[in-house]
Amino acid sequence: MQSRSIFCLATQDSKNVSQKYLDFVSSPMRDKGVETLPGMNPTLCKKLILKGYDKAYTVLGHFLLLKKQKELFLDWMKDICGASKSQASLCYQCLSDWCDMFA
């Protein structure tokens, strides 16, 4: 069932689905680093880590504190690490889809 759900998510917009996205949403959170989040490049990851967000689950925690509200999350990502709207949107969508899969 899980692989079918990933297939459904991946085929919704196959042009924008990366291997990084598929790797992230296909497995439990565990101790994934922020570098595993789609949209996060090394510069953004360094900024997140300096602010105390060293693991993907810490970013997920803030995502949940913001009650999964996209605009709030995008604004927070811009403020916390300087992510562009596109970068933050990739991260948002991945976390949202991961929650749909595992929460």
Side-chain angles (χ1 to χ4, degrees), residues 79-96:
D79 292 343
I80 198 82
C81 67
S84 69
K85 186 174 184 175
S86 174
Q87 292 165 322
S89 292
L90 287 171
C91 186
Y92 169 87
Q93 192 60 55
C94 182
L95 291 173
S96 180

Side-chain angles (χ1 to χ4, degrees), residues 20 33-48 53 56 59 73 76-78 80-92 95:
K20 191 174 186 180
V34 291
E35 68 279 355
T36 64
L37 290 164
M40 298 296 100
N41 63 37
T43 301
L44 298 178
C45 290
K46 286 178 189 175
K47 291 177 182 180
L48 284 169
Y53 296 91
V59 177
F73 184 79
W76 175 75
M77 288 294 289
K78 181 180 178 183
I80 198 82
C81 67
S84 69
K85 186 174 184 175
S86 174
Q87 292 165 322
S89 292
L90 287 171
C91 186
Y92 169 87
L95 291 173

Side-chain angles (χ1 to χ4, degrees), residues 1-13 22 101:
M1 179 71 171
Q2 183 178 342
S3 61
R4 183 177 175 189
S5 297
I6 293 169
F7 178 75
C8 291
L9 290 171
T11 57
Q12 286 176 2
D13 189 0
L22 292 173
M101 296 281 292

Side-chain angles (χ1 to χ4, degrees), residues 22-90:
L22 292 173
D23 291 343
F24 192 90
V25 299
S26 67
S27 62
M29 187 67 62
R30 295 196 178 103
D31 281 338
K32 293 177 184 174
V34 291
E35 68 279 355
T36 64
L37 290 164
M40 298 296 100
N41 63 37
T43 301
L44 298 178
C45 290
K46 286 178 189 175
K47 291 177 182 180
L48 284 169
I49 291 167
L50 287 173
K51 300 282 176 126
Y53 296 91
D54 60 333
K55 301 288 183 185
Y57 63 77
T58 59
V59 177
L60 173 66
H62 205 85
F63 169 82
L64 295 172
L65 283 173
L66 296 173
K67 300 182 180 182
K68 302 180 186 180
Q69 294 182 32
K70 186 173 184 175
E71 291 305 316
L72 292 177
F73 184 79
L74 299 185
D75 289 344
W76 175 75
M77 288 294 289
K78 181 180 178 183
D79 292 343
I80 198 82
C81 67
S84 69
K85 186 174 184 175
S86 174
Q87 292 165 322
S89 292
L90 287 171

